[in-house]
Amino acid sequence: MTYDFFNKLFGSQIVAALIQSLLPLFFFILPFALFAVWFERKVSAHMQDRLGPMRVGWHGWLQSIADILKLIQKEDIIATENDKPLFNIAPLLVFVGSYAAFAAIPFSSAFIGSNLDLGVFFIVAVSGFVVAGILMAGWASNNKYSLLGAMRSAAQIISYEIPTILVIVTIVMVTGTLNLNTLSEMQTGHFWNWMIFGGPTFGIAKFLLIPFMILGFVIIYISTLAEVNRTPFDIPEAESELVSGYHTEYSGMKFAMFFLAEYANMFAVSAVVAALFFGGYQSPIGYLGNLIGIKWFIPIEQLLWFTAKGLFFVFVQMWLRWTLPRLRVDQLMAACWKYLIPLAFVNLIIIGLITLI
Amino acid sequence: MREYLQNIWTAVITIMIGMRVTFKHLFVPAVTIQYPDVKPQLPERERNRLYVNMDDCIGCDQCARACPVDCISIETVKGLPTEDLGKTSQGKKKALWVTSFTIDYAKCCYCQLCVFPCPTECIYMTDVYEFSEYDRDNLIYNFSTLTPEEAEQKKINYAQFEAEKAKEKAAKAAAPANPTAVKE
């Protein structure tokens, strides 16, 4: 929709596509990352009965902007023993991986970067890019801690992609589509049409689906949490063991890229979870635009709902981070291979049987 | 199988309990004191910067001797009999000019040992603790009420007095045969 608008406005498909692709970066990811860094500090502080940043602006809301300004000024250190080309390209690759995922995420019915029929598949595929970037960063740093962190990260992300994909497959089985926009459209109406409540079709299958959908949601939430390297699955960064993991050797803006990628990733996986299970951009209670008859207001409302859902799941990620201690490497692998994958398989089979009804 | 399911159950329940605890703490008021804006309540007997009330100081040097790190240095000059040095608040007559009374807070260890021997209770701890300086010399505080010139003057006065006394004594010693008629 916005693409058509820009196409008409500028009369050029290239300019329209460029603007379309840069819109989420400058109007969503960057402000969100700045907000999320501040929010994370505030949440962690208040969970520990502290106050967090209070000095820069009202309750320190300018803190992350001050941090970014500081990072821009910092020296870009490249050690002599680093593998320079890989070292320089790694943060970009990590960021590209998380940014590309936003292409297939529907922000509202009027804005989706690229209305792909293989939307979810595309997101899973490009988030695999992040592994390459992290491994590259760890290896090129020529630092034992970095390499160890990168190795752990690769093992972790690849392992946890399996339960994620298994749960996505269950959703695909029920809905029959990989397109996130169509998926969101299907869950329109009220919140009982969301996939977590058995999907839009009313019948006995809907009620049978509910417990298994909740199980699926828990599995995908845990595994995506592990995929974005957040505590309790932050063994790639593990401050107390590995200094700071794969980004130990990075400084200045390259470090900021990793940071930005982490927060962009957090929102991306939250958005995917929201789109799969919680109706994406659909309002749970109907639209104000419909009520007062202003049609153009609906996409804006949808954007707000989408942001609210994404932010809620990001908040839960932070909440978990400041609640749970880090898992050991063997525990991490056990949690994935011994618990999440079998459960996801069982869930897949049961939901498959239910959809036959 | 039983243990397997039990593990999942324990994990879910314990995570829920942990999350409930942290969520409650979101709404617990923070214990942080916003320091420069809000000052912490100090205990009654806190030990901070020393203060010397020179009106009461008799220059007895006991605090300087009690100090374990020698951060107090006092110089005194005897007052002349003709001078009135004033009284302490306890009504004791002062006999010494305190020409210099310096405390080096860079050395001070805030042990309060100087406070107890003071006979007039003129040296004591205050509640001031924000007195950091960029230059260490600025931490040497001079409490003497006399200006350097006055202090110099007092020293000269006393030296003159001593010299006169010594001269008198010498004169007395030189004329022992002098009949002491005035003695009656």
Side-chain angles (χ1 to χ4, degrees):
Chain A
M1 297 247 191
T2 43
Y3 175 74
D4 295 336
F5 173 73
F6 288 126
N7 202 358
K8 234 175 254 170
L9 194 66
F10 297 104
S12 158
Q13 289 186 346
I14 297 167
V15 174
L18 208 62
I19 290 174
Q20 174 91 333
S21 60
L22 289 178
L23 265 183
L25 178 63
F26 290 108
F27 288 93
F28 202 85
I29 301 175
L30 279 179
F32 168 77
L34 290 177
F35 170 76
V37 171
W38 171 79
F39 190 59
E40 166 119 55
R41 294 173 77 166
K42 279 311 225 192
V43 167
S44 68
H46 282 282
M47 278 183 178
Q48 296 167 354
D49 295 353
R50 297 182 285 114
L51 284 170
M54 289 291 281
R55 292 273 145 201
V56 198
W58 182 82
H59 279 253
W61 71 276
L62 289 167
Q63 187 67 50
S64 33
I65 293 167
D67 284 349
I68 280 290
L69 287 177
K70 184 196 77 176
L71 282 171
I72 288 171
Q73 291 170 39
K74 281 213 166 183
E75 188 191 349
D76 183 23
I77 299 167
I78 301 172
T80 44
E81 292 296 309
N82 287 346
D83 190 341
K84 278 170 203 74
L86 292 186
F87 186 81
N88 288 336
I89 222 168
L92 289 171
L93 207 57
V94 171
F95 182 68
V96 162
S98 56
Y99 177 43
F102 279 84
I105 290 172
F107 288 92
S108 83
S109 57
F111 187 87
I112 171 163
S114 168
N115 198 356
L116 286 172
D117 279 338
L118 286 173
V120 196
F121 183 71
F122 172 76
I123 289 172
V124 170
V126 292
S127 36
F129 238 52
V130 177
V131 190
I134 288 173
L135 205 53
M136 221 183 248
W139 206 295
S141 292
N142 205 355
N143 174 329
K144 289 173 189 66
Y145 292 116
S146 298
L147 183 57
L148 212 53
M151 290 297 206
R152 286 181 179 191
S153 182
Q156 174 182 329
I157 295 178
I158 290 167
S159 305
Y160 276 87
E161 250 167 24
I162 298 165
T164 314
I165 292 165
L166 284 174
V167 173
I168 289 172
V169 169
T170 61
I171 294 291
V172 172
M173 271 182 358
V174 176
T175 59
T177 177
L178 276 163
N179 186 331
L180 275 174
N181 200 26
T182 325
L183 249 165
S184 306
E185 285 296 336
M186 279 172 87
Q187 303 174 57
T188 186
H190 292 273
F191 61 85
W192 53 79
N193 284 339
W194 290 356
M195 290 313 294
I196 190 104
F197 299 115
T201 44
F202 192 82
I204 184 94
K206 179 180 164 80
F207 294 99
L208 282 174
L209 274 176
I210 292 174
F212 300 103
M213 280 297 176
I214 291 171
L215 178 63
F217 162 67
V218 171
I219 291 170
I220 199 175
Y221 198 78
I222 294 171
S223 52
T224 51
L225 191 65
E227 270 191 67
V228 296
N229 295 334
R230 297 274 303 173
T231 325
F233 304 105
D234 71 336
I235 58 157
E237 298 168 32
E239 299 96 336
S240 44
E241 303 162 32
L242 296 182
V243 191
S244 154
Y246 54 88
H247 52 65
T248 308
E249 294 284 325
Y250 284 90
S251 64
M253 276 316 282
K254 283 184 193 149
F255 173 75
M257 288 290 258
F258 278 116
F259 221 60
L260 194 63
E262 183 186 335
Y263 281 91
N265 246 336
M266 272 168 75
F267 190 83
V269 298
S270 302
V272 170
V273 169
L276 288 178
F277 285 96
F278 290 88
Y281 51 73
Q282 300 288 357
S283 155
I285 44 168
Y287 295 106
L288 201 68
N290 272 335
L291 201 69
I292 53 176
I294 312 169
K295 281 278 175 263
W296 56 263
F297 193 59
I298 295 173
I300 297 168
E301 258 183 275
Q302 285 172 335
L303 181 65
L304 290 177
W305 276 113
F306 184 76
T307 318
K309 283 172 191 172
L311 270 183
F312 175 74
F313 288 118
V314 168
F315 168 71
V316 177
Q317 285 178 345
M318 291 171 182
W319 182 5
L320 277 166
R321 174 172 179 178
W322 297 103
T323 304
L324 299 174
R326 183 184 311 127
L327 267 71
R328 231 165 39 214
V329 183
D330 61 319
Q331 288 171 338
L332 183 96
M333 287 300 158
C336 178
W337 292 99
K338 283 162 101 178
Y339 292 93
L340 290 182
I341 291 178
L343 280 177
F345 257 121
V346 170
N347 202 31
L348 178 75
I349 291 163
I350 292 173
I351 289 183
L353 290 175
I354 291 170
T355 47
L356 288 179
I357 298 171
Chain B
M1 193 64 199
R2 203 188 145 83
E3 202 195 332
Y4 180 82
L5 293 173
Q6 195 120 38
N7 280 346
I8 296 172
W9 181 248
T10 337
V12 170
I13 290 301
T14 47
I15 289 171
M16 291 288 186
I17 291 169
M19 287 177 82
R20 203 180 64 208
V21 170
T22 39
F23 193 72
K24 267 187 201 158
H25 273 274
L26 263 185
F27 304 103
V28 172
V31 293
T32 314
I33 295 166
Q34 296 251 279
Y35 164 60
D37 302 337
V38 184
K39 299 268 167 84
Q41 178 85 45
L42 291 170
E44 204 182 315
R45 288 165 61 182
E46 87 277 6
R47 304 200 301 257
N48 297 304
R49 191 169 70 180
L50 280 168
Y51 180 73
V52 184
N53 182 4
M54 286 311 286
D55 291 345
D56 279 2
C57 183
I58 55 169
C60 66
D61 205 32
Q62 288 198 49
C63 47
R65 265 177 281 153
C67 183
V69 291
D70 289 336
C71 69
I72 306 174
S73 59
I74 303 172
E75 278 173 29
T76 50
V77 172
K78 273 186 187 160
L80 304 182
T82 49
E83 281 173 327
D84 181 21
L85 279 78
K87 284 178 177 175
T88 67
S89 56
Q90 290 159 323
K92 206 173 170 189
K93 249 188 117 180
K94 291 200 231 174
L96 298 166
W97 288 111
V98 183
T99 51
S100 146
F101 193 123
T102 60
I103 300 181
D104 187 352
Y105 289 112
K107 287 186 196 163
C108 180
C109 66
Y110 307 96
C111 61
Q112 213 183 5
L113 286 177
C114 53
V115 172
F116 303 117
C118 184
T120 56
E121 285 169 20
C122 72
I123 183 165
Y124 48 83
M125 294 286 182
T126 56
D127 56 1
V128 183
Y129 49 89
E130 297 158 311
F131 55 98
S132 50
E133 295 281 354
Y134 285 103
D135 192 350
R136 214 175 285 172
D137 290 343
N138 292 342
L139 282 170
I140 302 172
Y141 283 50
N142 189 8
F143 288 98
S144 176
T145 45
L146 302 175
T147 59
E149 296 81 43
E150 277 179 324
E152 207 51 47
Q153 190 56 48
K154 299 294 176 206
K155 275 179 202 163
I156 294 164
N157 282 353
Y158 183 67
Q160 267 175 3
F161 175 72
E162 281 287 275
E164 270 170 37
K165 224 165 123 182
K167 216 189 267 171
E168 229 167 75
K169 222 177 190 176
K172 246 181 210 169
N178 192 22
T180 51
V182 214
K183 213 180 171 183
E184 301 163 41

